[in-house]
Amino acid sequence: MKINIGVALLGAAAAIGCLTLFANGKRPINNMPGTEATPIVKTAYTTTTGPAAQPVDFEKAAIAAVPAVVHIKTLTKYKQIAGRQAPNQDQDPMSEMFRRFFGDGGGREFQQQSPDQRASGSGVIISQDGYIVTNNHVVDGATEITVTLNNRKNYTAKVIGTDRNTDLALIKIDGKGLPVMAVGNSDDVKLGQWVLAIGYPLNLDVTVTQGIVSAKSRNIGINTQASAPVEAFIQTDAAVNPGSSGGALVSTNGELIAINSAIASPTGTFAGYAYSIPSNLMKKVIGDIMKYGSVQRGFLGVSLAPEGLDDAKKKEFGINTDVDGIYVMDVDPKGAAGEAGIKKGDVIVKLNGAKVDEVAQLAEIIARQKPGDGVKITFSRNGSEQTVNAVLKNKLGSFDSTGPAAMESMGADFSDLSKDDAAELGVNGGVVVSNIHDGGVLSSQTNMRPGFIITKVGDQPVSSVDEFKDALSKQGNNFQIQGVYPDSKEIYYYGINDFKK
């Protein structure tokens, strides 16, 4: 949640009211004569003897945590964007704008210059010598990063590493003896516990809000730019607004339990729910960046049934509703789970001895491991439970079912480029696109013409239909298709967006 400085001014009028419940000092009348109202659950405000206990103390936690939360301001200098318009195509101003942004190429050259962009976010100091955790989307693409501490001192920061899959980033300033926030154990977080959100929302000075944990392992599908996104957010009703991204979600002990990352809102400002990245996942990701320079992520190699399926879909997939767990839709035979004996149709019920019943929960546990780590999987098959040990691998995996489905969604016919045609065009091979159908991805998102020859999908070269199918199965939501037309020597690029939605 970056807030663009100077784009919009957000203001609010404060209304102050007073409600006197029992102005006459009398006790409320009980509807049941001769009885006393007794709370079903006794709270910190209710005691049977002696004076009432004091409410939860937020003051000590705020005093301890606030100095370690910083204000991050970024500058992204203008970039000159160049590209081509596809030949024999009418130019529509709006579609041309989107094609320029996503890299869709063509025959007619154009250039566009975008203005400087300034934005604002938050961060948390995790070491006395200046390492700071924030969100990837706070610093992504920034050419200048300025960090302001709670004591008003300014520093220039550099990016050490980022992870788009978890939307985390590590930046560094040159400092000594800086205030550091203690990092807590997010696995110990409970529903209903009090938390504080600390950050710099709406370009204001440091701000502290309070709320409770309202959900765990929440997946809201917001990270559409990643190839293998991990969303297992802690949900809270503590007020969080644009500019709070990268700030701290803090327990009443003053410990960091999550990094604030997103809000659910129809207006772009806080509307009741905020989402934060658990500290245990953050520790793994940031620890890898500090040690290796990039995230060392292990993969299980399974395709899992999405949550929220209705009964008809469950019946279609053959999901056993009598077992609480996560249904395995497909297995990469060369992946960690496949080599351990997991099969399509199994239901994963435990991971490392802990019960799992949500995909986001399982994804977070796996994301905290690295390639070569062993995990213990307990699954149900034909009514009986079994436990196997799997060794995680360093690739996502490929599944028999995803390739054909991805090919079908493209909405065209594909064939291998002949060796003679490849030699004439000066390419190693490719996939010829023909009969582009209405309603498919290629017709709805690109101006591709029949006869186009695909040579690359994302960063993966393709020389056959089988390679094209494999490349599609490994792409994220957004990627580019690269290739040539037989009658042109130019390379063309077509942007594909929201591919897996």
Side-chain angles (χ1 to χ4, degrees):
M1 289 175 298
K2 290 194 278 191
I3 175 172
N4 291 323
I5 302 171
V7 174
L9 291 176
L10 298 178
I16 302 175
C18 178
L19 176 63
T20 303
L21 294 179
F22 310 119
N24 58 7
K26 296 181 180 179
R27 292 176 60 83
I29 298 174
N30 195 311
N31 290 330
M32 297 292 292
T35 63
E36 291 291 335
T38 304
I40 297 175
V41 178
K42 294 182 179 180
T43 71
Y45 302 92
T46 308
T47 59
T48 54
T49 60
Q54 293 299 311
V56 176
D57 183 4
F58 299 113
E59 182 180 355
K60 293 179 181 178
I63 291 174
V66 161
V69 181
V70 302
H71 195 185
I72 298 174
K73 296 181 180 179
T74 62
L75 170 65
T76 302
K77 291 187 176 179
Y78 77 86
K79 296 179 181 178
Q80 187 163 283
I81 305 170
R84 291 179 176 273
Q85 181 187 3
N88 304 324
Q89 297 289 329
D90 294 331
Q91 181 178 356
D92 173 73
M94 285 301 294
S95 63
E96 183 66 10
M97 179 183 71
F98 282 103
R99 284 197 292 271
R100 289 174 182 176
F101 182 78
F102 288 109
D104 186 0
R108 190 174 64 79
E109 294 185 353
F110 62 82
Q111 288 188 341
Q112 179 184 6
Q113 185 169 301
S114 58
D116 292 355
Q117 293 184 342
R118 296 181 182 274
S120 174
S122 305
V124 181
I125 303 173
I126 59 169
S127 72
Q128 292 185 340
D129 59 347
Y131 282 100
I132 297 170
V133 178
T134 186
N135 285 134
N136 175 65
H137 74 258
V138 170
V139 297
D140 187 29
T143 51
E144 294 179 16
I145 304 173
T146 302
V147 171
T148 303
L149 271 58
N150 183 240
N151 62 8
R152 305 294 193 277
K153 288 186 177 180
N154 293 320
Y155 296 83
T156 298
K158 62 180 180 180
V159 176
I160 302 300
T162 63
D163 180 45
R164 182 167 288 183
N165 287 322
T166 54
D167 192 28
L168 287 169
L170 180 67
I171 63 176
K172 177 75 166 60
I173 61 176
D174 291 330
K176 294 181 179 179
L178 299 177
V180 176
M181 186 178 299
V183 179
N185 183 354
S186 56
D187 287 347
D188 292 339
V189 172
K190 307 296 182 185
L191 292 182
Q193 81 171 62
W194 287 105
V195 289
L196 299 178
I198 306 175
Y200 290 78
L202 306 175
N203 207 33
L204 297 171
D205 204 345
V206 66
T207 300
V208 180
T209 57
Q210 58 83 20
I212 62 168
V213 173
S214 52
K216 295 180 64 177
S217 298
R218 186 71 89 199
N219 185 331
I220 58 175
I222 196 173
N223 193 355
T224 59
Q225 301 298 316
S227 59
V230 179
E231 291 188 13
F233 294 119
I234 293 174
Q235 178 180 302
T236 176
D237 63 353
V240 172
N241 272 297
S244 296
S245 282
L249 191 70
V250 179
S251 70
T252 53
N253 292 328
E255 295 178 332
L256 177 69
I257 56 173
I259 298 294
N260 297 324
S261 183
I263 57 176
S265 170
T267 63
T269 55
F270 181 70
Y273 301 112
Y275 301 92
S276 308
I277 302 165
S279 60
N280 286 357
L281 179 59
M282 180 275 293
K283 284 190 289 186
K284 196 276 177 185
V285 170
I286 297 303
D288 279 358
I289 292 174
M290 293 180 73
K291 186 175 182 179
Y292 305 107
S294 62
V295 179
Q296 310 297 299
R297 185 171 175 190
F299 292 97
L300 197 54
V302 292
S303 174
L304 304 172
E307 296 173 359
L309 294 177
D310 57 27
D311 291 340
K313 279 293 184 182
K314 288 180 180 179
K315 185 177 181 180
E316 179 184 336
F317 292 138
I319 297 176
N320 183 1
T321 57
D322 295 331
V323 180
D324 290 332
I326 303 171
Y327 183 82
V328 178
M329 297 279 288
D330 206 350
V331 179
D332 179 2
K334 297 182 180 180
E339 292 185 351
I342 301 294
K343 297 180 180 180
K344 177 182 177 180
D346 291 341
V347 179
I348 299 175
V349 295
K350 291 181 182 178
L351 204 60
N352 290 336
K355 188 177 184 300
V356 291
D357 50 19
E358 295 180 352
V359 174
Q361 180 187 7
L362 183 146
E364 182 195 351
I365 295 173
I366 295 298
R368 282 155 49 178
Q369 317 298 319
K370 64 180 184 297
D373 284 350
V375 292
K376 185 179 294 185
I377 306 171
T378 301
F379 63 94
S380 175
R381 179 186 297 168
N382 298 326
S384 63
E385 285 193 3
Q386 304 177 45
T387 299
V388 295
N389 293 310
V391 179
L392 299 180
K393 299 200 172 184
N394 62 353
K395 63 178 182 177
L396 184 60
S398 57
F399 312 103
D400 293 338
S401 63
T402 56
M407 289 272 288
E408 184 178 349
S409 71
M410 299 302 289
D413 296 334
F414 304 96
S415 60
D416 291 349
L417 181 69
S418 69
K419 291 183 179 180
D420 291 342
D421 289 341
E424 185 176 342
L425 291 170
V427 296
N428 294 327
V431 175
V432 181
V433 182
S434 60
N435 299 326
I436 299 176
H437 312 302
D438 291 339
V441 171
L442 294 183
S443 67
S444 63
Q445 294 196 26
T446 76
N447 54 7
M448 185 183 292
R449 294 183 290 116
F452 184 71
I453 299 165
I454 299 171
T455 58
K456 184 180 286 189
V457 177
D459 295 327
Q460 185 171 338
V462 295
S463 58
S464 67
V465 172
D466 286 340
E467 290 183 1
F468 177 56
K469 186 190 304 180
D470 179 65
L472 282 178
S473 70
K474 296 177 180 177
Q475 300 307 308
N477 279 318
N478 305 318
F479 59 92
Q480 286 185 339
I481 291 177
Q482 176 180 325
V484 298
Y485 285 97
D487 56 354
S488 174
K489 295 182 180 180
E490 299 289 345
I491 297 176
Y492 296 87
Y493 301 86
Y494 292 103
I496 306 298
N497 305 296
D498 296 335
F499 184 58
K500 293 186 177 180
K501 285 191 173 181

